[in-house]
Amino acid sequence: MTAAGSTIDVSVVIPTYNRRGLLERTLQSVAALDPGPAEVVVVSDGSTDGSDEMVRSLGWPLLRTDRRGAAGARNEGWRSAAASMVAFLDDDCIAEPGWLGALVAPFADEGVGLVQGATVPDGSPGPYDRTVHVQPALRLYESCNIAYRRRALEQVGGFDEEFIRRIQPRVGLPGRGGGRPFGEDTHLGWRVQRLGWRAAIASDAVVRHHIFEGTFSDSLREEWRAGNFTLLLDEIPELRDLFPGGRYFVRRHSVLAQAAIVGLVAFASGHRRVGAALSAPYLAWLLRHHRGRAIADQAARDAVRSVSLLIGSARTGRVLL
């Protein structure tokens, strides 16, 4: 398995943990890149499903870390890499053939320190499924498809491996001490920019993200994770000006959803007219944008996210709804 066509001075780092089947698809897409990378570094973070043997049998370099998490695996990868640019790709993504060339093209400007590519679902996700659709304008710098100038990574020390464990105990939000990573890639992107490096967007550098089947309960857990955005604001106040709904609102319809929460409380307290007045605009929005069971599902997800953000706002002192 070798990269197709010409190569460029880029190291592609792929962290992985127990995703042999998905990882094989990722590596196949990397092998088809044109131009291809100068090197590929796969970092197995303690995999036990045969991933390591599969990688070695295909002739790819392999490093191992001992359950340090994705941030630790990425750090191990870029620190061992030799190229002047480092591209990060996740093991649940498939790169389009022209991905790498498009991703690193903005580095022709010496002031650019990081480049965010575009990530789209690999198919049509169902209402409860989990996937990634990167919206570059949010500037969250998701590490499933991003490249850094090596000098920039060296200057900031790479990913903060203790980021989520360090900030969550401070406020005691749900999810403490477990769950999927949250925010360490966003944190890295902004730390690099604070040193004067510029960030660029490469919308034609496309990877397709796997769709993980989910349940209604899974979708509610994802909404609950949104409370972590209040933690990010503690570390990255620059995000305040980038939220879709404005400085204090993660969602465009946040005002309606939060007003409905207050309305339900008022209604339950006997203030029925006030409660109905506060809840009516959100109900109208639901009926305008959803049909059938999707109405109840969306209302439940909005309620969970609203409560999570309210709790996070109260505990951090940073209002985000």
Side-chain angles (χ1 to χ4, degrees), residues 249-302:
F249 303 102
V250 175
R251 302 156 294 178
R252 296 187 186 280
H253 65 283
S254 284
V255 173
L256 302 181
Q258 296 289 358
I261 293 290
V262 176
L264 289 174
V265 174
F267 195 90
S269 301
H271 303 285
R272 297 191 173 186
R273 290 185 179 179
V274 173
L278 289 171
S279 302
Y282 175 68
L283 179 59
W285 177 88
L286 275 177
L287 295 174
R288 188 165 60 250
H289 290 88
H290 299 279
R291 295 289 184 272
R293 179 178 174 178
I295 295 175
D297 287 352
Q298 183 64 50
R301 287 196 291 265
D302 280 338

Side-chain angles (χ1 to χ4, degrees), residues 210-232:
H210 183 70
I211 298 171
F212 294 93
E213 292 185 6
T215 64
F216 180 57
S217 296
D218 294 331
S219 71
L220 295 183
R221 280 191 286 272
E222 286 299 302
E223 295 296 338
W224 188 251
R225 279 166 52 87
N228 285 320
F229 274 109
T230 59
L231 305 179
L232 284 187

Side-chain angles (χ1 to χ4, degrees), residues 11-271:
S11 299
V12 173
V13 174
I14 306 171
T16 189
Y17 174 67
N18 281 352
R19 283 182 176 170
R20 175 174 175 163
L22 292 177
L23 176 62
E24 187 168 8
R25 296 173 67 226
T26 300
L27 292 175
Q28 288 170 351
S29 74
V30 171
L33 290 174
D34 190 9
E39 66 175 342
V40 177
V41 181
V42 180
V43 187
S44 173
D45 192 31
S47 294
T48 58
D49 66 344
S51 294
D52 297 5
E53 293 76 11
M54 180 270 293
V55 172
R56 291 191 183 103
S57 71
L58 294 175
W60 295 97
L62 179 74
L63 298 177
R64 276 188 65 89
T65 49
D66 185 19
R67 301 301 295 125
R68 284 167 53 185
R74 291 188 183 102
N75 279 340
E76 188 75 17
W78 77 259
R79 287 170 182 157
S80 72
S84 63
M85 296 171 285
V86 180
F88 293 100
L89 180 66
D90 279 0
D91 63 359
D92 51 9
C93 293
I94 297 174
E96 294 292 327
W99 165 69
L100 193 60
L103 185 65
V104 302
F107 286 126
D109 181 339
E110 291 295 327
V112 171
L114 67 150
V115 183
Q116 173 83 74
T119 303
V120 298
D122 187 21
S124 300
Y128 309 136
D129 295 340
R130 179 173 63 82
T131 185
V132 172
H133 193 171
V134 170
Q135 302 177 56
L138 286 182
R139 298 174 70 182
L140 296 178
Y141 305 122
E142 292 90 337
S143 53
C144 55
N145 179 8
I146 200 164
Y148 284 88
R149 200 179 292 275
R150 183 183 178 86
R151 278 190 293 136
L153 288 172
E154 290 173 342
Q155 287 173 350
V156 300
F159 293 88
D160 181 350
E161 297 178 34
E162 297 298 319
F163 180 70
I164 196 64
R165 288 189 290 271
R166 174 167 55 81
I167 64 176
Q168 280 192 326
R170 190 167 70 224
V171 293
L173 280 179
R176 169 180 171 183
R180 292 184 291 107
F182 188 98
E184 76 280 353
D185 45 5
T186 307
H187 189 226
L188 173 60
W190 284 99
R191 284 160 55 218
V192 166
Q193 288 181 90
R194 288 169 187 166
L195 292 181
W197 294 102
R198 292 196 302 278
I201 293 173
S203 57
D204 52 347
V206 180
V207 304
R208 291 179 282 120
H209 194 282
H210 183 70
I211 298 171
F212 294 93
E213 292 185 6
T215 64
F216 180 57
S217 296
D218 294 331
S219 71
L220 295 183
R221 280 191 286 272
E222 286 299 302
E223 295 296 338
W224 188 251
R225 279 166 52 87
N228 285 320
F229 274 109
T230 59
L231 305 179
L232 284 187
L233 281 178
D234 263 355
E235 300 279 339
I236 315 167
E238 295 95 331
L239 292 177
R240 179 69 80 181
D241 295 320
L242 301 174
F243 291 121
R247 286 179 57 81
Y248 298 96
F249 303 102
V250 175
R251 302 156 294 178
R252 296 187 186 280
H253 65 283
S254 284
V255 173
L256 302 181
Q258 296 289 358
I261 293 290
V262 176
L264 289 174
V265 174
F267 195 90
S269 301
H271 303 285

